[in-house]
Amino acid sequence: MATSKIAARNYLFQVAVGATPTWTSVAGLKSFSFNPGDHDSHTEATDFDSQGQYEEVVLQRGGSLKLEGLRRIDKATGLADPGQAALDALAQGLADASVGQIRFRHQSETQWRVWNCTAKSAELGGDTNALGKWGMEIARTGAETYMPAP
């Protein structure tokens, strides 16, 4: 089987909006990083029976995403891109309101990775001759699930 390189720009990120939910694309992205091993917890399991060989078990799995891009707004209404706005709101939530859902995949993949997640806003800003930046740090909470891509 031959394999091909894939373009990072062809990854799709959507956030769940509302109770139904409606999956809403996050606009303005320039880069992302996906760390499927973030928040893992490994515990040493070596004992006398290990006969001098190191042993460990994983007692916790996690994952994280970092999204970076440009702030997008509707100039007529002043409202942020709906996907960015949903993540901005999630990043301000407390308790149950701090957990939402995101899904992502490369456009060539046939399944979405779906996460229950929390979000933390990254720095906003820019300089005199730059466009305003936007970013979000997302941590998976619970097990990753999958759903078929439409």
Side-chain angles (χ1 to χ4, degrees), residues 93-106:
L94 297 171
D96 288 346
S98 72
V99 179
Q101 282 190 309
I102 193 165
R103 68 181 186 180
F104 60 100
R105 68 180 177 90
H106 187 267

Side-chain angles (χ1 to χ4, degrees), residues 10-14 23 103-114 145-150:
N10 292 332
Y11 271 84
L12 309 169
F13 297 88
Q14 297 181 340
W23 289 101
R103 68 181 186 180
F104 60 100
R105 68 180 177 90
H106 187 267
Q107 71 181 13
S108 67
E109 294 176 317
T110 60
Q111 292 189 101
W112 292 98
R113 292 174 180 261
V114 182
T145 59
Y146 299 89
M147 67 175 30

Side-chain angles (χ1 to χ4, degrees), residues 48-126:
F48 291 167
D49 297 328
S50 303
Q51 300 181 4
Q53 301 300 313
Y54 175 80
E55 295 181 22
E56 76 173 22
V57 294
V58 178
L59 295 177
Q60 174 178 294
R61 296 281 184 196
S64 66
L65 281 170
K66 288 184 182 177
L67 304 178
E68 295 180 345
L70 300 175
R71 176 56 109 186
R72 300 289 295 266
I73 64 166
D74 181 327
K75 289 185 180 180
T77 65
L79 297 175
D81 163 72
Q84 288 184 2
L87 287 171
D88 290 341
L90 182 61
Q92 296 303 309
L94 297 171
D96 288 346
S98 72
V99 179
Q101 282 190 309
I102 193 165
R103 68 181 186 180
F104 60 100
R105 68 180 177 90
H106 187 267
Q107 71 181 13
S108 67
E109 294 176 317
T110 60
Q111 292 189 101
W112 292 98
R113 292 174 180 261
V114 182
W115 288 6
N116 287 340
C117 64
T118 60
K120 176 183 173 187
S121 295
E123 291 183 12
L124 301 175

